[in-house]
Amino acid sequence: MKEYQSNISAGCYDSEGREIEDVNELKELLPVKPFCSRGDGRGDLSRYGLRILPRELALKKAYIQLNPPHMQIFMTFDLDYSTWVYISEDVNLPLPLWCVGNEKNGHAHLIYGLANPVFTTDKAREKPQWILKAIYNAYREKLGADSSYSQLISKNPFAGECWQVFNLCNMLYTLEYLASFVELPRIPVNKISEDRGSLGRNCAIFEHVRVWSYKAVRAYWGKTFEAWLDAVFVKCMSENIDFQTPLSQKEVYNIAKSIAAFTWRKITPENFREMQRRSVNIRWSRESQKENGITLMKEGWTVDELREALGVSRATVFNWKKGAGIKRENLTELKAWEREGISRATWYRRRTE
């Protein structure tokens, strides 16, 4: 692990948090059984997928889950540019614990540590959660970090053989100290809504990820279901982090498993080709139906005659008429019983019979 010489004088952190003297203290803060992955050095986890392993084994992997369930100790920012080592000082932010970079593509993760963990359960205090989220958003904007990154899986700072790891400082900061570097919005007086629109958290995650999965699953054809499930789970976690009080990891995993299983079973290459063929046929049939309708309209067919002959609604006929520039007075709108020269009662009685 490389040491980084900062122009910030040593010893200035006495009241900003607590100093870590031994790297093993940081290892003890990780989950007992974290998600992890071998990775491929290019940031693509789909090839190997995610696994849950004991901490001792997970620490040897390229990617690892830093935060335990229901708790946030580390803030991770995903940077897609190569000047990441000096970026925190360049934008006037405190030094992070680690800067873990990829020499192949120049991307990196900046990782900050919290002196006091913030609990994220439903029964935990909302104010620390709100402050942490506001700090993260403000830091992310200053750093120019990826806004879609979920913080679930990070480049492993303890795997120096996989990454270019810089140990920038040994401080775990307090929320107050981190907040002093940015301007935060005022804390809302009323409780922040836990839903998006009229949807609860479970339904909101399900609906957003469900729509995304219909197209995204095509990139995983030819791969394993486990790789697809991992991708859906990461997407669900990125949606979950937007809530003031996120769902538990187990709840999110169950949502992801439901979505992944459905799309994997229903949206296959064969089914997709059939849906495309059907869509093309419907589109062409509608186009020909519209052309026929306009032609018949110009020949003097009435609205009701077109509706019954082509099996479309009156609104559709009038839309065709409007698109073709046919004036309303040119359309004869006789009722069915008027065209047959009978009374309305007789017409309805015959139709019933």
Side-chain angles (χ1 to χ4, degrees):
M1 185 179 294
K2 302 180 181 179
E3 295 293 336
Y4 174 78
Q5 298 299 323
S6 169
N7 57 15
I8 299 179
S9 60
C12 65
Y13 296 112
D14 293 343
S15 61
E16 289 81 14
R18 65 185 181 92
E19 186 174 0
I20 297 296
E21 297 180 357
D22 187 355
V23 70
N24 289 323
E25 292 184 47
L26 294 172
K27 293 180 180 179
E28 292 298 322
L29 298 176
L30 303 184
V32 177
K33 291 186 177 181
F35 282 100
C36 60
S37 176
R38 287 175 56 191
D40 59 0
R42 297 189 298 272
D44 182 14
L45 300 178
S46 62
R47 181 178 177 185
Y48 299 103
L50 298 178
R51 299 181 63 189
I52 297 177
L53 294 177
R55 182 191 298 155
E56 294 74 16
L57 297 177
L59 284 170
K60 301 176 183 179
K61 304 299 182 181
Y63 296 90
I64 195 170
Q65 174 189 357
L66 296 179
N67 289 305
H70 311 304
M71 183 188 304
Q72 186 158 358
I73 304 175
F74 299 97
M75 292 195 307
T76 305
F77 299 90
D78 185 25
L79 307 182
D80 295 336
Y81 49 82
S82 58
T83 56
W84 31 266
V85 177
Y86 311 99
I87 186 61
S88 61
E89 290 185 296
D90 292 343
V91 297
N92 192 29
L93 292 177
L95 289 174
L97 269 173
W98 296 291
C99 191
V100 189
N102 187 335
E103 293 180 310
K104 295 181 180 180
N105 59 20
H107 297 179
H109 282 168
L110 255 62
I111 304 172
Y112 286 87
L114 302 179
N116 300 307
V118 175
F119 292 91
T120 57
T121 62
D122 291 337
K123 296 182 179 179
R125 294 176 57 210
E126 290 188 2
K127 184 176 179 180
Q129 297 178 45
W130 187 93
I131 293 175
L132 176 61
K133 183 178 179 180
I135 290 172
Y136 184 84
N137 291 338
Y139 274 49
R140 183 180 63 194
E141 185 174 348
K142 268 198 167 186
L143 293 168
D146 184 1
S147 60
S148 62
Y149 175 60
S150 68
Q151 298 190 78
L152 174 64
I153 300 296
S154 302
K155 290 180 173 66
N156 188 356
F158 303 102
E161 66 280 2
C162 301
W163 311 111
Q164 193 176 12
V165 181
F166 293 88
N167 179 210
L168 303 188
C169 76
N170 293 318
M171 287 299 302
L172 298 179
Y173 299 119
T174 63
L175 289 179
E176 292 78 7
Y177 182 70
L178 292 173
S180 66
F181 288 82
V182 291
E183 186 174 347
L184 302 182
R186 295 185 62 183
I187 299 177
V189 177
N190 298 325
K191 181 180 178 180
I192 300 175
S193 176
E194 297 294 350
D195 57 17
R196 299 174 184 174
S198 59
L199 296 176
R201 290 173 298 172
N202 300 66
C203 294
I205 294 174
F206 182 86
E207 289 300 320
H208 282 76
V209 180
R210 174 184 64 83
V211 175
W212 164 85
S213 69
Y214 296 155
K215 183 177 181 181
V217 69
R218 285 182 274 171
Y220 290 83
W221 289 342
K223 300 180 181 179
T224 63
F225 172 75
E226 287 70 23
W228 168 235
L229 176 58
D230 291 341
V232 177
F233 178 59
V234 170
K235 178 66 175 178
C236 287
M237 288 297 293
S238 67
E239 294 286 334
N240 185 49
I241 201 172
D242 289 337
F243 295 111
Q244 180 69 12
T245 305
L247 296 172
S248 68
Q249 192 170 282
K250 183 177 181 180
E251 290 177 295
V252 176
Y253 181 78
N254 289 334
I255 296 172
K257 189 174 181 180
S258 175
I259 296 172
F262 177 83
T263 51
W264 190 260
R265 185 175 68 253
K266 293 293 184 179
I267 306 181
T268 62
E270 296 76 16
N271 291 344
F272 183 73
R273 284 192 292 268
E274 176 62 23
M275 286 188 291
Q276 280 187 318
R277 184 191 63 77
R278 193 179 306 164
S279 176
V280 170
N281 291 340
I282 292 174
R283 185 173 70 250
W284 280 105
S285 64
R286 286 177 177 172
E287 289 295 327
S288 59
Q289 189 180 55
K290 179 179 178 180
E291 292 175 0
N292 292 336
I294 292 174
T295 301
L296 294 174
M297 242 186 279
K298 293 178 179 179
E299 293 178 358
W301 281 50
T302 67
V303 173
D304 288 320
E305 287 173 340
L306 288 173
R307 180 177 59 80
E308 292 179 4
L310 300 179
V312 296
S313 65
R314 291 172 60 85
T316 299
V317 176
F318 280 108
N319 285 336
W320 292 348
K321 175 266 305 180
K322 184 177 180 180
I326 302 175
K327 295 182 179 180
R328 190 181 186 95
E329 54 267 21
N330 292 341
L331 294 177
T332 305
E333 298 184 58
L334 293 176
K335 304 298 183 182
W337 49 86
E338 293 175 345
R339 292 199 308 270
E340 297 181 15
I342 58 178
S343 67
R344 178 179 177 180
T346 302
W347 186 86
Y348 274 107
R349 186 180 69 253
R350 292 179 179 177
R351 189 184 69 167
T352 303
E353 293 172 352

